[in-house]
Amino acid sequence: MASTVLVGLQWGDEGKGKIIDYMTERSDVVVRFQGGNNAGHTVEIGAEKFVLHLVPSGILREGILNVIGNGVVVNPVALWEEIDALQRRGVAASSRLRLSGRSQLIFAYHCLMDGFREGRLGDRKLGTTRRGIGPAYADKVSRTGIRASAMADAGRMEALFRAQAAEYNAIFRQAGCEVLDVDAEWAKVKAVLPHLVPLLDDTALLVNRAADAGKEILFEGAQGTWLDIDYGTYPYVTSSNTTSGAACTGGGLAPCRIDRVVGVLKAYSTRVGSGPFPTELQDATGDLLRTRGGEYGATTGRPRRCGWFDAVATRYAVMLNGASRVALTKLDVLDSLPVLRICTAYQLDGKTITDMPVDSADLERAVPVYEEMPGWQQDTTGVRSRRALPKAARAYVARLLELSGTKLQIVSVGPKRDQTFTVGR
Ligand code: GDP
Ligand code: IMO
Ligand code: MG
């Protein structure tokens, strides 16, 4: 039995939710370790479609323990809404879920602050999901945040909430913008406490005991490598480490107990929100990828920016994460294209470079160098083995892997659970 970390290798929305759901056929525990309800992880089973934001993507299978780890920022009202909606659809979410008492809480004032900062940035806005992620992580690091364990004592929770809400309202008032209705907001929080308190746990202990017992543990990354607070295209990033190392700090299992890292890789590139994206296509091909790939945000509904596969960015992401294996998704979206392009280098200030520049301003100026490959122009959505893929598709996949320096484990050719196959271990 093993512990596996699964992370996005691009700008998020690689299909992590679908792959986690597929992999949980063989797992016992799924752990979210960073991010919050900025994530939108889609799982389609038959005619049913679920979009998960805070709840781990192992929730749809019976017998799996789903853990929201200490590295996650949790909006309690949104979490209960999500659990409740799942339960109304017949998924026994509460009984399959544990919430770290060490996770940090997001409240409405964080969301207001998120929107307020975005508004002030004007043209330079980050394009956040406005879920309060940045302000909540900022409070955590400033040591002014409120942890989930405080929910166990409603009186203490109320005092902490009101004090923090008053601090934020003072700032909002000074800025002459919308102020939070503290009483109304507290009423919402108070109402969800009885549902969430029973889920509280020391999840580091849970995860380590599961590892001791030889259970299969999957760590479910959110967002993607290029949104990582340290390695991403700063400042156009999210506020957590999205790379594999965060599974240890945010999930509670020591690095020596992680057995492998699997990266999820889309067969082309997408990005939602602002920031550099060298291979972006602002033309009919970009529109085709968006339409065929259903590239609209699972959390905000925003159209995603689409572009060619970027092997420069991916090779670097494979290195950062130690992703020795990948799950390649959305190959079917390329089915109709006569020619495919892969970015193998960038031109920057007269030089050819093959590593990601450190500074986003440089990446903004980088011009992709492409190589072309023929498309296959055949439907792959029914393919269930590597051998059955059209020859040109096999060649395209082989080239992506070669350029990215990794190996193939899983291929996905459609959104449904059964449109997936394993090619290696
Ligand atoms: P995540 O955030 O990484 O979990 O990805 P999202 O759920 O935000 O976005 C992926 C989208 O692509 C979802 O709508 C999935 O249902 C869909 N999807 C996943 N894998 C495939 C695939 O192989 N082919 C197609 N056509 N769609 C896929
Ligand atoms: P999943 O897990 C794609 C992007 C936002 C914005 C930036 C910062 O579904 O792959 P934030 O709200 O986190 O402060 O926004 O990060 N972003 C995502 N993009 N997929 C996600 O999650 C994302 N979560 C945040 O669009 O550009
Ligand atoms: Mg998503």
Side-chain angles (χ1 to χ4, degrees):
M1 289 300 186
S3 53
T4 303
V5 179
L6 187 126
V7 287
L9 292 180
Q10 293 151 316
W11 279 276
D13 304 325
E14 296 90 349
K16 299 175 294 292
K18 179 194 155 156
I19 300 299
I20 288 279
D21 169 68
Y22 176 74
M23 289 174 78
T24 46
E25 198 177 355
R26 296 162 177 276
S27 308
D28 303 298
V29 184
V30 180
V31 186
R32 273 284 306 268
F33 55 89
Q34 47 71 230
N37 60 336
N38 49 348
H41 295 181
T42 314
V43 180
E44 287 194 30
I45 308 163
E48 295 251 47
K49 177 173 170 173
F50 297 89
V51 181
L52 301 158
H53 301 286
L54 271 165
V55 172
S57 302
I59 203 76
L60 303 171
R61 292 192 199 256
E62 217 181 307
I64 307 256
L65 173 66
N66 289 267
V67 172
I68 299 179
N70 58 278
V72 178
V73 280
V74 179
N75 181 323
V77 177
L79 176 59
W80 173 245
E81 250 173 46
E82 195 174 331
I83 295 171
D84 191 37
L86 284 166
Q87 299 197 144
R88 285 171 197 275
R89 293 178 69 180
V91 179
S94 277
S95 65
R96 299 175 187 169
L97 187 65
R98 310 303 293 159
L99 169 63
S100 171
R102 295 185 176 98
S103 62
Q104 293 275 333
L105 296 179
I106 299 186
F107 294 107
Y109 47 75
H110 291 123
C111 303
L112 279 181
M113 182 57 92
D114 196 348
F116 169 62
R117 286 193 186 141
E118 284 283 273
R120 284 185 64 91
L121 282 169
D123 287 350
R124 291 177 300 115
K125 73 168 193 252
L126 306 181
T128 74
T129 59
R130 303 196 177 213
R131 297 296 187 271
I133 305 296
Y137 275 119
D139 273 355
K140 172 180 177 174
V141 178
S142 302
R143 296 156 295 182
T144 52
I146 304 173
R147 286 180 165 203
S149 57
M151 293 193 295
D153 176 344
R156 178 174 162 230
M157 180 73 228
E158 181 172 2
L160 288 169
F161 172 82
R162 286 187 181 277
Q164 192 70 333
E167 288 286 317
Y168 273 87
N169 269 349
I171 299 168
F172 296 144
R173 231 171 256 121
Q174 227 169 25
C177 69
E178 188 187 347
V179 170
L180 188 72
D181 180 341
V182 180
D183 291 329
E185 208 48 46
W186 169 246
K188 286 188 207 161
V189 175
K190 191 178 169 194
V192 303
L193 296 184
H195 300 295
L196 298 185
V197 170
L199 307 183
L200 288 173
D201 219 321
D202 181 341
T203 57
L205 273 181
L206 279 184
V207 170
N208 279 275
R209 284 184 182 146
D212 292 345
K215 305 276 190 201
E216 187 88 28
I217 305 173
L218 256 181
F219 290 89
E220 176 178 2
Q223 290 79 55
T225 299
W226 297 113
L227 293 171
D228 183 282
I229 183 73
D230 286 292
Y231 296 107
T233 55
Y234 196 89
Y236 301 100
V237 292
T238 190
S239 298
S240 66
N241 284 113
T242 60
T243 39
S244 57
C248 298
T249 51
L253 199 65
C256 56
R257 304 195 77 179
I258 304 287
D259 296 293
R260 58 186 182 152
V261 178
V262 175
V264 187
L265 199 53
K266 206 180 276 198
Y268 52 95
S269 308
T270 63
R271 170 165 208 165
V272 57
S274 323
F277 181 10
T279 63
E280 182 170 13
L281 288 166
Q282 281 163 324
D283 61 8
T285 307
D287 293 343
L288 183 139
L289 292 174
R290 186 174 309 106
T291 308
R292 275 195 60 103
E295 298 294 357
Y296 294 89
T299 296
T300 57
R302 291 177 292 176
R304 294 176 184 150
R305 301 156 67 193
C306 298
W308 296 118
F309 186 86
D310 186 338
V312 177
T314 306
R315 185 169 49 245
Y316 205 105
V318 165
M319 172 191 81
L320 285 174
N321 290 290
S324 55
R325 291 282 185 279
V326 291
L328 186 68
T329 61
K330 307 194 88 159
L331 194 59
D332 56 293
V333 174
L334 304 176
D335 281 354
S336 67
L337 290 169
V339 175
L340 303 171
R341 297 180 120 195
I342 304 174
C343 168
T344 56
Y346 300 141
Q347 285 287 342
L348 182 64
D349 303 333
K351 291 201 187 94
T352 304
I353 57 168
T354 53
D355 289 313
M356 282 293 264
V358 167
D359 198 302
S360 286
D362 291 336
L363 190 63
E364 201 74 72
R365 290 198 319 282
V367 178
V369 177
Y370 288 114
E371 72 179 35
E372 288 193 349
M373 294 192 77
W376 42 94
Q377 298 188 280
Q378 279 178 59
D379 182 4
T380 59
T381 56
V383 170
R384 296 293 178 271
S385 74
R386 193 178 197 168
R387 261 183 306 126
L389 283 171
K391 199 170 159 218
R394 285 204 304 272
Y396 178 71
V397 172
R399 188 66 181 139
L400 296 192
L401 297 170
E402 181 187 19
L403 288 166
S404 308
T406 186
K407 293 201 171 77
L408 196 58
Q409 180 171 336
I410 293 168
V411 178
S412 169
V413 288
K416 304 252 186 276
R417 187 186 263 177
D418 64 4
Q419 291 178 304
T420 326
F421 54 91
T422 300
V423 298
R425 295 256 160 252

